[in-house]
Amino acid sequence: MSKEPKKLGIIALTALIISSSIGAGIFAIPTDMADAASPGGALMAWLIAGLGVLTLCLSIVNIINKKPELSGIVSYAEDGFGPFNGFISGWGYWLSAWLGNVAFATMMMKTIGRFLPAFGDGSNLLSILVASVILWGLYFLVNRGVESAASLNTIITLCKLLPLAFYIILAILFFDINTFMDNFWGTTSGSFELSSVIKQIQSSMMVIMWVFVGIEGAAMMSDRASSKAIVGKSTVLGLIGLLVVYIAASILPYGILAREQIAGLPNPAMGYVLAENVGSWFPIVVNIALIISIFGAWLSWTMLPAETTLIMAQRDLLPAKFGKLNNQGVPTYSLFFMTALTQVFMFTLLFTESAYQFAYALCTAAMFISWLYVVLYQTKLSKSLNDTKQMLLGLIGSVFFIWVIWASGIDYFLLCLIAYLVGIFFYIQARKQKGIKKVFSQAELILLVFLVAGALLAIFRLVTGQISF
């Protein structure tokens, strides 16, 4: 059979972005946001996060236009800062992808538990066994061909957007401005207090950034796009669509129930926001939509990590076996390696409280690394081209993502570094296969020291109980 892949168009790529991002997070976002912020704080958090993610998307568009020969965000870090930085970006993206699958699995089983109580909170043995069957089923599906899986994903995207649109329309109909404005800033005085609002914004960041994971999906699949031009268009279209859906899903509930009521709803909360208004059947519909939504996101995030390691192998950042393709043009070894690691991590959830929150926090923290490299490269590239406007865009994005790493919880970032200890072994192996005797430059050695030190600090804090989950 031919290994020549079919090309993806703008609809398929935009659907991939939306489906990759709209997974479990949007259905839990009413309670997650209400736990963190008042209506005013939530709106400000969305404004800041939206502008930050916009710098990322516009940076991707600019880089694609200026450097169309580069393949995905992994290559941006390598082109701008050298091979080891390319590895760090790619490994963070790959790590984020399969950790996201763990979060999807947990939420899917938890949702099934609403119908079948034996599944509990999604992290018991039965849940893990059923999730494992789905995990390996997706492995075999994607292994038959990435493009055919992407076509299925487009259909799934439509299936899950329709119930979301129905929810938003109903939420608008039952929206009450007086309920929304009641204690708008969530302060004891009822008026705006800067310190309180800043704390609310900071508390909201991990929740918000989690639902944006996947926004860079079109760039990662750029080699399979029908043209480089549609990658940038797909990224911007995807961001616009996501912002409309996310802001509506998280802000409208404040006009239906009091903040304390929203925070106390069972998760996934979206269906229960309107249960008193439209009837007990609505949570059932929403939970079914959630299962479909998670399946679509899980499918997307089965394709993307395999594509990441394929690109890294092609650029000699991972051993050649990660880039070996089967007859359908799929990197089977990469896909199997990722699936096996996901399987192992699933069983650790038996010993973890709040399994879904822990998995998505790690997923998002790992993604921050790749996103930061994009805007840093945008800054460097624009400076070299004397493009002040684009350089300013990159600088704003760099400041935002450095801040959001800290604001979202530095411990999750440190925990991700532990996984780099394994990845460094593969990186060294790949460079030696290439015949490179001096694997690290002087600057890369300094970076390596900081990376290993961060991982060791995370291990120490785990052992001493300073990090708990």
Side-chain angles (χ1 to χ4, degrees):
M1 297 178 65
S2 173
K3 292 185 180 182
E4 182 65 27
K6 299 177 183 178
K7 296 298 183 179
L8 302 178
I10 189 169
I11 295 176
L13 281 176
T14 303
L16 180 65
I17 291 173
I18 294 175
S19 186
S20 297
S21 300
I22 297 181
I26 189 172
F27 292 88
I29 207 169
T31 51
D32 288 345
M33 287 298 292
D35 277 334
S38 63
L43 283 171
M44 292 192 69
W46 276 112
L47 175 63
I48 293 171
L51 290 174
V53 177
L54 180 62
T55 65
L56 173 71
C57 292
L58 293 179
S59 294
I60 291 174
V61 172
N62 179 61
I63 294 169
I64 289 172
N65 290 333
K66 299 291 175 55
K67 290 278 191 174
E69 70 275 13
L70 297 180
S71 301
I73 64 175
V74 174
S75 60
Y76 302 166
E78 182 187 10
D79 187 68
F81 307 102
F84 186 53
N85 287 275
F87 159 77
I88 292 174
S89 175
W91 195 256
Y93 189 89
W94 170 82
L95 178 64
S96 174
W98 65 265
L99 283 172
N101 288 342
V102 176
F104 296 146
T106 306
M107 181 57 81
M108 178 183 282
M109 295 304 107
K110 184 174 184 177
T111 306
I112 293 175
R114 298 293 178 193
F115 303 101
L116 302 172
F119 285 84
D121 64 353
S123 60
N124 60 20
L125 182 58
L126 176 61
S127 297
I128 291 172
L129 291 176
V130 173
S132 299
V133 173
I134 299 173
L135 172 70
W136 288 101
L138 288 173
Y139 162 79
F140 286 111
L141 175 64
V142 174
N143 198 47
R144 294 181 59 187
V146 173
E147 286 73 27
S148 61
S151 299
L152 174 61
N153 186 57
T154 303
I155 298 172
I156 293 173
T157 300
L158 293 175
C159 291
K160 69 183 179 182
L161 286 180
L162 289 175
L164 286 175
F166 184 47
Y167 161 80
I168 291 171
I169 291 170
L170 288 175
I172 292 173
L173 292 175
F174 289 106
F175 185 85
D176 178 66
I177 190 64
N178 293 322
T179 303
F180 182 74
M181 296 303 297
D182 185 32
N183 200 5
F184 183 74
W185 294 111
T187 59
T188 53
S189 65
S191 58
F192 178 85
E193 296 177 11
L194 183 61
S195 59
S196 174
V197 174
I198 290 175
K199 185 176 180 181
Q200 292 177 46
I201 293 171
Q202 180 178 330
S203 300
S204 304
M205 276 301 115
M206 185 62 84
V207 175
I208 292 176
M209 298 311 292
W210 157 238
V211 296
F212 277 116
V213 170
I215 192 66
E216 70 303 306
M220 287 306 300
M221 301 291 284
S222 60
D223 276 353
R224 299 180 185 269
S226 58
S227 72
K228 293 290 183 180
I230 71 165
V231 177
K233 293 177 183 178
S234 297
T235 300
V236 174
L237 286 174
L239 174 61
I240 293 171
L242 288 172
L243 279 173
V244 170
V245 174
Y246 287 157
I247 293 175
S250 61
I251 298 300
L252 289 175
Y254 289 109
I256 299 171
L257 299 172
R259 178 186 173 187
E260 295 76 16
Q261 291 176 294
I262 301 170
L265 291 174
N267 245 337
M270 182 176 285
Y272 298 95
V273 171
L274 293 165
E276 291 186 6
N277 302 93
V278 300
S280 58
W281 59 269
F282 192 70
I284 298 174
V285 172
V286 171
N287 285 335
I288 293 173
L290 172 55
I291 293 172
I292 296 172
S293 177
I294 292 175
F295 182 80
W298 199 347
L299 173 61
S300 296
W301 283 98
T302 302
M303 293 186 283
L304 290 173
E307 196 75 11
T308 304
T309 47
L310 169 62
I311 293 171
M312 293 176 72
Q314 290 171 342
R315 305 183 76 90
D316 302 309
L317 304 178
L318 285 177
K321 58 188 175 183
F322 282 90
K324 186 176 180 181
L325 303 178
N326 64 13
N327 291 335
Q328 284 72 41
V330 178
T332 299
Y333 180 85
S334 293
L335 187 61
F336 178 83
F337 183 71
M338 178 273 297
T339 306
L341 280 177
T342 306
Q343 177 70 85
V344 171
F345 195 84
M346 277 186 182
F347 282 102
T348 68
L349 299 182
L350 290 171
F351 313 101
T352 305
E353 296 181 5
S354 303
Y356 168 70
Q357 286 80 3
F358 176 65
Y360 87 62
L362 281 180
C363 165
T364 310
M367 185 60 78
F368 287 155
I369 299 171
S370 293
W371 285 346
L372 178 59
Y373 269 112
V374 173
V375 289
L376 288 173
Y377 180 63
Q378 160 80 357
T379 305
K380 183 176 181 179
L381 176 64
S382 300
K383 182 180 179 182
S384 69
L385 298 175
N386 295 317
D387 191 336
T388 304
K389 182 180 177 181
Q390 292 291 342
M391 186 178 71
L392 181 61
L393 179 73
L395 285 172
I396 294 172
S398 300
V399 171
F400 171 77
F401 282 105
I402 291 172
W403 171 77
V404 86
I405 288 172
W406 170 80
S408 299
I410 195 67
D411 280 336
Y412 291 112
F413 175 77
L414 291 176
L415 285 173
C416 291
L417 297 184
I418 297 175
Y420 275 91
L421 298 180
V422 178
I424 290 170
F425 167 78
F426 288 120
Y427 174 75
I428 293 173
Q429 187 181 27
R431 304 309 283 176
K432 289 183 175 179
Q433 283 181 355
K434 185 67 175 176
I436 299 172
K437 294 182 180 180
K438 188 177 181 181
V439 176
F440 300 99
S441 67
Q442 186 174 356
E444 288 174 338
L445 279 174
I446 295 173
L447 181 59
L448 176 64
V449 169
F450 277 105
L451 192 152
V452 173
L456 293 177
L457 176 61
I459 293 171
F460 173 77
R461 288 175 60 79
L462 272 175
V463 171
T464 56
Q466 297 178 59
I467 297 178
S468 58
F469 46 85

